[in-house]
Amino acid sequence: MNLFSYILVYRRFLLIVFTLLILLPLPIILHNKVASAYFKDFHLLLIGVICLATSIEKWNLHKRIALRMVMMVGVNPAWLTLGFMSSTAFLSMWLSNTSTAAMVMPIVEAVAQQLINAEAEVEATQMTCFSGSINHGLEIDECVNEHETNEKEEKTKPVPGHSNDAGKISSKVELEKNTVTGIKYRTKRDHMMCKLMSLCITYSSTIGGLTTITGTSTNLIFTEHFNMRYPECRCLNFGSWFLLSFPASIIILLLSWIWLQWLFLGFNFKMFKSGKTETVKEKACAEVIKQEYKKLGPIRSQEIVTLVLFIAMALLWFSRDPGFVSGWSALFSEYPGFATDSTVALLIGLLFFLIPAKKLTKTTPTGEIVAFDYSPLITWKEFQSVMPWDIAILVGGGFALADGCEESGLSKWIGNKLSPLGSLPIWLIILISSLLVTSLTEVASNPATITLLLPILSPLAEAIHVNPLYILIPSTLCTSFAFLLPVANPSNAVVFSYGHLSVMDMVKAGLGINIMGVAVVMLGVFTWMVPMFDLNTYPSWAPAISNGTMP
C-alpha cells in the first residue's frame, strides 16, 4: 500500500492531529472570556469520562466485569445479592449511575426468574412425591436433590393430601402480582426476592457513585465550585476524594445489603454460609450466569484496549498528586493549576476517537480486498448519544449563578445572616445541613440541589469560622442519598419500571438507608476525614478571619 493510500485510510486521525496543532496558539493569542462559566474544568473532565463510558458500553466490557464478579461470589441468594451490589457499585464508580442500573437490571431479572423457576420445579417434585405418583422426567432431579426436598418439607410443613398443598400454593398466587406485566407470583417469597434484587441494583449504583469524583455529577460540581471559590487550597483531587469516600461507601454498601436482606427475606446467620452451589435453585442460577458470560465469547482486542485505557486513566488520576509523595503534576510546576484531572480525562478520551477498532475493507473490481477506512473505538455519534448535555448546561448555569452571587455580594450577605448559627455545636450544624440536603434531593434533581446549596453553605462555614470542608463534604455526599422515591433519581425509575416494587417498598427501604448513610457520613467527618484535611483548624486558604481555630 502506497503512502497516499495510508493517508486516505487514516485521514480522520490526521485531520484531528493537525487541527489541534493549528489551533494550539489560540489560547495564547485570545485573552477574552466568553460565557466561561459554561465551559470549565468540570466540562472537560465530564467529556473525557463519557468517552470512556461510551467505549466500555459499546464493547460490553461492563457486562463482562459484572458477570465475572457475580461468578466469583457464588449464587447463594444472600451472596448473590452482595455480588450484584459489589459489581454494580464498582461499575458506577466509572459510569453514570443510570446507565449502570440499566445495564445490570436485565441480568438480575433473568437470574431472579431462574431462581423462581427452579424453586417451582422443586415444589412440583415434592408434590409428585406426596401424591404417590412417579414423574420419570423429574426422577433424576429427585435423586440428586433429596436434601433440598427434605429442606422444603420442613419449611412448608404440608398437611396430608395433594389437594391441600395445591390449595395453599394457589392462595399464595392470588396475593402477589407484577404491576407492569400483570404476571402473578407463585409465592410471597418470590415477590420479596424480586423486590430485594431490584432495590440492591439502584441503591448500589448510587453508593458506588460516591466513591470517585467522576462517579456522579454532584461530586464533579462540588469539586469545581470548591476549586473556584478556594483556588489556593489544592487539597481536592481524584486520590484524596477516593480516600475520604471509599470507607464510607464500603460501610454504607454492607449496611444496605444487611438491611435489604432483613427487610425482604429475613436475616439469619445461615446467609453467611459458603457460596458453593448446592441446591437446585443455585445450580440453575449459576448456569444462567455462565451462559450469559459464554454469550460474550472470548475477550476481544477492543475490550483489551478499552481496559488498558481505563486502567491508565485511573492510575494517572491517582498519581497526579497523591499527597504523600510528589506526583507527575510536579513536572509542570511552572504552570500551577494546568495539570488537573481533566487533563488526563481529555487526553485519554481523545485516544478513543483515534485508536482503530477495526479496518473497513471493500472488494475492488479485480476481486482484491483493500482497506479504505478504519473504525475507531468510538465515534462522535456514539459519544453524542451518551453525553449528558443537559447536565453540562445545568451545571454551567449553576457556576454562573455562583459567580453572580459572589460579584453582587449576595454570598457575603447570606453568610452574615447565617452567622448566629455559630452558637450551635458544630456536629449539630453538620447534621442539620446533611438532613436538609438529603430531604431536598428527594424532590429535586441531585445536580440542582447541590448547585443551589453550595453558594449558601460556603459562606455559612466562613461566617461561623469553620473549615468549609467540614460542612461541604458531608453535604455533597448526602446530596446523592435520593433513595426514597422512584422520581428521586433516574436509576430508581429504571428498576421501578420492572413492576416488582411499590412506592411504599421504596420508601421503607430508602428511609433506612438514608438514616444509615447520614450516620456513616457523620462518623467519617469526625474520624478519618479530620486528619486528611486538618478539619479542626480554620485554613489559610479560606477568607481571613481573626480567630484561627474552630469554636
Side-chain angles (χ1 to χ4, degrees), residues 108-121 280-289:
V108 171
E109 182 72 7
V111 170
Q113 294 306 318
Q114 191 64 22
L115 278 172
I116 292 170
N117 293 339
E119 188 168 336
E121 181 180 333
V280 171
K281 293 186 297 182
E282 293 167 3
K283 288 179 180 177
C285 181
E287 187 60 30
V288 169
I289 294 173

Side-chain angles (χ1 to χ4, degrees), residues 65 80 143 185 247 254 309 319 327 460 511:
I65 292 172
L80 179 65
C143 297
Y185 299 96
L254 291 175
L309 292 176
S319 60
L460 166 63
L511 183 61

Side-chain angles (χ1 to χ4, degrees), residues 38-291:
Y38 289 87
F39 204 74
K40 289 186 173 291
D41 205 56
F42 159 84
H43 297 88
L44 298 177
L45 183 58
L46 182 64
I47 288 171
V49 170
I50 295 300
C51 289
L52 171 65
T54 304
S55 185
I56 288 176
E57 293 182 26
K58 177 181 178 179
W59 301 109
N60 271 334
L61 181 60
H62 56 332
K63 193 171 184 179
R64 189 179 296 277
I65 292 172
L67 291 172
R68 173 55 67 181
M69 292 183 72
V70 172
M71 289 167 67
M72 288 170 61
V73 299
V75 292
N76 169 279
W79 290 109
L80 179 65
T81 303
L82 182 61
F84 274 121
M85 292 183 76
S86 301
S87 57
T88 303
F90 175 76
L91 291 172
S92 189
M93 291 165 60
W94 317 101
L95 309 177
S96 75
N97 301 351
T98 307
S99 61
T100 300
M103 180 279 298
V104 178
M105 194 58 202
I107 303 173
V108 171
E109 182 72 7
V111 170
Q113 294 306 318
Q114 191 64 22
L115 278 172
I116 292 170
N117 293 339
E119 188 168 336
E121 181 180 333
V122 172
E123 277 198 14
T125 305
Q126 284 183 301
M127 293 171 65
T128 302
C129 293
F130 297 152
S131 62
S133 61
I134 298 176
N135 185 331
H136 295 286
L138 297 173
E139 197 168 311
I140 296 176
D141 286 339
E142 288 177 40
C143 297
V144 173
N145 302 293
E146 182 180 354
H147 170 72
E148 183 176 356
T149 302
N150 293 336
E151 185 178 87
K152 279 284 178 182
E153 288 175 0
E154 292 177 4
K155 289 181 180 178
T156 56
K157 295 182 180 178
V159 296
H162 172 75
S163 58
N164 288 344
D165 289 349
K168 289 202 297 184
I169 293 172
S170 176
S171 66
K172 289 179 183 177
V173 168
E174 296 300 324
L175 295 176
E176 309 293 345
K177 191 175 184 181
N178 186 296
T179 58
V180 172
T181 64
I183 298 174
K184 295 178 179 179
Y185 299 96
R186 292 175 53 260
T187 66
K188 184 176 181 180
R189 182 178 174 82
D190 290 347
H191 196 186
M192 294 297 105
M193 173 65 76
C194 292
K195 289 180 179 182
L196 167 65
M197 299 188 79
S198 298
L199 287 174
C200 81
I201 297 306
T202 182
Y203 292 162
S204 57
S205 69
T206 299
I207 294 167
L210 299 174
T211 314
T212 60
I213 283 180
T214 59
T216 184
S217 58
T218 54
N219 295 352
L220 286 169
I221 295 168
F222 160 67
T223 307
E224 183 65 26
H225 171 88
F226 185 84
N227 290 334
M228 285 170 52
R229 190 175 182 90
Y230 309 108
E232 296 180 6
C233 177
R234 305 195 186 284
C235 54
L236 278 179
N237 54 49
F238 191 91
S240 62
W241 181 269
F242 183 84
L243 291 176
L244 76 89
S245 60
F246 183 72
S249 299
I250 292 294
I251 296 171
I252 297 172
L253 190 73
L254 291 175
L255 291 177
S256 301
W257 171 54
I258 295 172
W259 165 248
L260 292 174
Q261 181 73 23
W262 175 82
L263 189 63
F264 292 103
L265 293 183
F267 182 85
N268 58 65
F269 288 100
K270 290 182 179 179
M271 66 183 283
F272 295 109
K273 70 178 182 178
S274 170
K276 182 181 178 182
T277 59
E278 295 176 351
T279 66
V280 171
K281 293 186 297 182
E282 293 167 3
K283 288 179 180 177
C285 181
E287 187 60 30
V288 169
I289 294 173
K290 287 178 183 177
Q291 290 301 322

Side-chain angles (χ1 to χ4, degrees), residues 275-320:
K276 182 181 178 182
T277 59
E278 295 176 351
T279 66
V280 171
K281 293 186 297 182
E282 293 167 3
K283 288 179 180 177
C285 181
E287 187 60 30
V288 169
I289 294 173
K290 287 178 183 177
Q291 290 301 322
E292 286 292 320
Y293 191 80
K294 286 181 180 178
K295 287 178 185 178
L296 296 176
I299 190 167
R300 297 166 292 175
S301 60
Q302 295 92 338
E303 293 178 72
I304 294 174
V305 173
T306 300
L307 182 60
V308 169
L309 292 176
F310 168 42
I311 294 172
M313 183 181 285
L315 290 177
L316 287 171
W317 272 335
F318 277 112
S319 60
R320 180 178 70 84

Side-chain angles (χ1 to χ4, degrees), residues 241-523:
W241 181 269
F242 183 84
L243 291 176
L244 76 89
S245 60
F246 183 72
S249 299
I250 292 294
I251 296 171
I252 297 172
L253 190 73
L254 291 175
L255 291 177
S256 301
W257 171 54
I258 295 172
W259 165 248
L260 292 174
Q261 181 73 23
W262 175 82
L263 189 63
F264 292 103
L265 293 183
F267 182 85
N268 58 65
F269 288 100
K270 290 182 179 179
M271 66 183 283
F272 295 109
K273 70 178 182 178
S274 170
K276 182 181 178 182
T277 59
E278 295 176 351
T279 66
V280 171
K281 293 186 297 182
E282 293 167 3
K283 288 179 180 177
C285 181
E287 187 60 30
V288 169
I289 294 173
K290 287 178 183 177
Q291 290 301 322
E292 286 292 320
Y293 191 80
K294 286 181 180 178
K295 287 178 185 178
L296 296 176
I299 190 167
R300 297 166 292 175
S301 60
Q302 295 92 338
E303 293 178 72
I304 294 174
V305 173
T306 300
L307 182 60
V308 169
L309 292 176
F310 168 42
I311 294 172
M313 183 181 285
L315 290 177
L316 287 171
W317 272 335
F318 277 112
S319 60
R320 180 178 70 84
D321 187 15
F324 54 91
V325 293
S326 297
W328 57 263
S329 62
L331 299 173
F332 308 96
S333 57
E334 295 181 8
Y335 307 97
F338 277 70
T340 64
D341 289 333
S342 65
T343 308
V344 174
L346 203 60
L347 178 62
I348 299 294
L350 184 62
L351 294 179
F352 286 104
F353 291 101
L354 301 181
I355 296 177
K358 57 185 178 181
K359 283 186 178 181
L360 302 179
T361 59
K362 64 180 180 180
T363 305
T364 63
T366 61
E368 183 183 4
I369 299 177
V370 297
F372 71 95
D373 203 349
Y374 78 93
S375 175
L377 287 171
I378 62 172
T379 64
W380 178 253
K381 187 176 182 180
E382 292 164 344
F383 168 80
Q384 282 248 80
S385 66
V386 179
M387 177 67 186
W389 294 109
D390 54 340
I391 296 295
I393 295 172
L394 172 66
V395 173
F399 293 151
L401 177 64
D403 289 343
C405 291
E406 192 67 28
E407 292 294 327
S408 65
L410 179 61
S411 292
K412 182 179 287 188
W413 180 83
I414 292 174
N416 291 333
K417 294 298 180 182
L418 294 174
S419 58
L421 291 176
S423 60
L424 297 175
I426 181 61
W427 67 267
L428 185 57
I429 296 173
I430 296 173
L431 180 61
I432 291 172
S433 62
S434 298
L435 292 175
L436 173 66
V437 169
T438 304
S439 302
L440 185 58
T441 198
E442 297 291 350
V443 293
S445 73
N446 298 357
T449 300
I450 195 71
T451 301
L452 174 67
L453 292 179
L454 282 176
I456 298 174
L457 295 176
S458 296
L460 166 63
E462 296 163 9
I464 62 176
H465 206 183
V466 169
N467 189 321
L469 289 172
Y470 232 144
I471 294 178
L472 297 183
I473 288 177
S475 298
T476 300
L477 292 173
C478 290
T479 306
S480 294
F481 295 164
F483 297 124
L484 284 182
L485 301 171
V487 297
N489 71 53
S491 60
N492 288 2
V494 168
V495 301
F496 191 81
S497 67
Y498 278 78
H500 301 304
L501 299 164
S502 67
V503 174
M504 283 309 300
D505 290 328
M506 195 165 277
V507 169
K508 286 190 295 184
L511 183 61
I513 297 180
N514 270 346
I515 294 171
M516 290 185 290
V518 172
V520 171
V521 169
M522 290 291 291
L523 173 67

